[in-house]
Amino acid sequence: MDTPPPSLLTVRTKAGPTPANADALTPPVTPMSPRMNKAILTDKSTGHGGTIDDSSIDNKGRSHSEEIMTQGPSSGVPEQLLWSRITPKLYAGTYHLLEVYGRGAWSTVHRALEKEAVHISAATPLTPPTSPQRRPQRFLAIKAPVHKGSYPVIEKEACILTYLHTYPSASEYIVNFHGFSLSTHSLILAAVPLTLESHTRSALAHATANLTTRTMFDPVIGAAQWTSLAKALISGLAYLHSRHCVHGDIKPANILLQPLPSSEAEPAAHKPLYADFSSSAVIFPDSPPRPIDPANDAITPAFTAPELLANYAKGGAVTTFASDVFSLGVTMLVAATGELPYGGPMQRLAVAREGRPMDFARSGEQGSRIMKGGLVEKVLLRSLARDPEMRVDAKAWQKIMDEM
């Protein structure tokens, strides 16, 4: 039986500084823009089986970003100005909560079923109204905060997803974002239940049970699928970086695999999508360094670049495009071997600081899958350089993959 997450408290926010008497144990709630003041968060339970109705949101009170999104970068609005004006795209609909997908430090992710939406086109004086057009029901993923202190993290992620989706090709690389729920302070996302983490775990079990001298040198998910996955994820990272976005927490659990049509002639394939932008940042060439905030930014040591681990405890670690490249390199290393490169949890942090994941992975049980001079090494070697200055950047890495 699923344990329902805690109810969300009533919060009233307004533009301006946070009150001085804000709860000292949790970060203050991020002030909303005046355009969002028309909708006030209400006390509403998001437990299993609840129905959430955001369909009454007035179009006039919807996000200022929607005006910008109708123009988009193609209209000539400078990207930095576009980002500075972003407020979360708002969701207007009704959904019924189902089971829990997973839980994290900041949020609980539910699967939900959206109620059927009906749209009636406006009639002109010379034509009768058209028949109602129904949008089919669809499954959603609802990322809801676990407590009031999670609100700033969730809203920041909503802003980043809104900004990225101003670009028409965003859905090719990142999970589809339907909007921000004002009633529950939640993210409304496309439901994609399969992660690279679970897919790799299943592939490792299958590869181990069917090990032969012919397959022991291939990635556990298969050489063709691994290569295709690497190309897609590297292209996706180049896309994020071209939009000035540092993901900040790339790992197999934050990559969703959307099924693609398959046939008997071709094995089942997936389109990888980046998800969980709670540790992300949008940075421009003249942006000041943004150190990781341990209170609001998550890192996963096994996938974190060594320069970040060296400075994290001191409070001076800064996520960069180069640290993203390293994290994706380790992620693809795990997709090849099916296991973390650094052994047990007791030694993982200390060994990860050394920044030599491929060397450690070769000493593991699946080391034969990353032979020197082989496919995995050719693709990942430059991404895993210990010195961030020596790492390949995402755009150059994409070009290397295109030429392979």
Side-chain angles (χ1 to χ4, degrees):
M1 178 177 176
D2 293 331
T3 302
S7 298
L8 302 184
L9 302 179
T10 299
V11 178
R12 294 179 179 270
T13 60
K14 62 182 181 179
T18 303
N21 61 349
D23 189 346
L25 297 180
T26 61
V29 175
T30 302
M32 291 185 179
S33 71
R35 294 176 182 268
M36 296 178 66
N37 284 344
K38 296 180 181 179
I40 303 298
L41 302 189
T42 58
D43 187 346
K44 191 184 292 283
S45 172
T46 59
H48 175 73
T51 297
I52 308 301
D53 187 356
D54 286 308
S55 60
S56 61
I57 291 178
D58 185 349
N59 285 333
K60 294 181 180 178
R62 307 232 14 219
S63 172
H64 172 50
S65 295
E66 296 201 13
E67 300 173 17
I68 301 172
M69 290 176 74
T70 59
Q71 301 172 0
S74 60
S75 67
V77 178
E79 290 177 306
Q80 196 160 357
L81 179 60
L82 179 70
W83 168 243
S84 70
R85 292 178 176 178
I86 286 291
T87 58
K89 169 189 174 183
L90 300 186
Y91 173 77
T94 303
Y95 56 87
H96 185 75
L97 292 174
L98 303 172
E99 71 273 13
V100 173
Y101 271 148
R103 304 179 191 275
W106 303 111
S107 60
T108 299
V109 181
H110 300 258
R111 190 169 75 108
L113 180 62
E114 187 176 47
K115 299 285 186 175
E116 188 177 46
V118 179
H119 173 71
I120 301 177
S121 300
T124 67
L126 298 179
T127 60
T130 59
S131 301
Q133 297 179 350
R134 295 182 179 272
R135 184 177 67 199
Q137 287 183 311
R138 58 183 177 180
F139 285 103
L140 304 172
I142 312 300
K143 186 173 183 178
V146 295
H147 50 67
K148 188 166 60 175
S150 306
Y151 285 5
V153 179
I154 297 291
E155 187 177 340
K156 182 194 76 170
E157 184 172 2
C159 287
I160 289 174
L161 288 169
T162 299
Y163 164 74
L164 290 174
H165 278 284
T166 60
Y167 300 91
S169 53
S171 59
E172 290 297 310
Y173 305 108
I174 67 176
V175 63
N176 200 13
F177 175 57
H178 298 309
F180 178 71
S181 169
L182 279 171
S183 65
T184 61
H185 223 85
S186 303
L187 303 180
I188 315 300
L189 306 159
V192 185
L194 182 63
T195 67
L196 180 57
E197 181 180 53
S198 58
H199 179 60
T200 301
R201 188 184 302 121
S202 298
L204 174 62
H206 182 269
T208 302
N210 298 276
L211 186 66
T212 67
T213 54
R214 185 178 63 84
T215 61
M216 64 183 293
F217 300 104
D218 292 336
V220 293
I221 63 175
Q225 188 177 146
W226 187 90
T227 304
S228 176
L229 184 70
K231 286 183 176 181
L233 285 172
I234 293 167
S235 295
L237 188 63
Y239 170 82
L240 287 178
H241 290 181
S242 73
R243 304 311 181 204
H244 313 283
C245 180
V246 175
H247 185 281
D249 193 24
I250 296 174
K251 58 185 177 182
N254 287 342
I255 293 171
L256 306 180
L257 299 180
Q258 185 176 72
L260 293 174
S262 60
S263 64
E264 294 183 2
E266 297 181 3
H270 301 89
K271 177 168 72 174
L273 301 169
Y274 285 96
D276 193 351
F277 288 78
S278 57
S279 296
S280 302
V282 175
I283 58 175
F284 293 90
D286 58 349
S287 299
R290 178 188 172 275
I292 294 174
D293 178 5
N296 290 316
D297 296 318
I299 67 166
T300 308
F303 298 91
T304 301
E307 67 271 16
L308 298 188
L309 294 175
N311 296 310
Y312 183 73
K314 306 172 187 176
V318 177
T319 52
T320 63
F321 298 132
S323 63
D324 265 1
V325 168
F326 188 92
S327 295
L328 180 55
V330 180
T331 295
M332 290 310 304
L333 187 62
V334 171
T337 65
E339 58 187 13
L340 291 174
Y342 300 126
M346 296 298 292
Q347 66 187 88
R348 192 168 295 153
L349 179 58
V351 176
R353 286 196 180 106
E354 295 186 27
R356 296 186 294 112
M358 193 172 294
D359 291 340
F360 283 100
R362 283 203 180 102
S363 64
E365 293 182 3
Q366 304 297 323
S368 63
R369 301 183 187 278
I370 45 175
M371 297 292 291
K372 285 185 176 295
L375 169 67
V376 176
E377 183 183 75
K378 288 178 180 178
V379 173
L380 301 183
L381 189 61
R382 292 183 61 193
S383 70
L384 296 174
R386 193 179 193 285
D387 182 352
E389 298 294 328
M390 299 299 294
R391 275 177 221 146
V392 65
D393 64 63
K395 186 175 181 180
W397 199 6
Q398 182 183 22
K399 186 176 180 181
I400 291 172
M401 291 301 296
D402 289 342
E403 294 174 351
M404 286 188 66

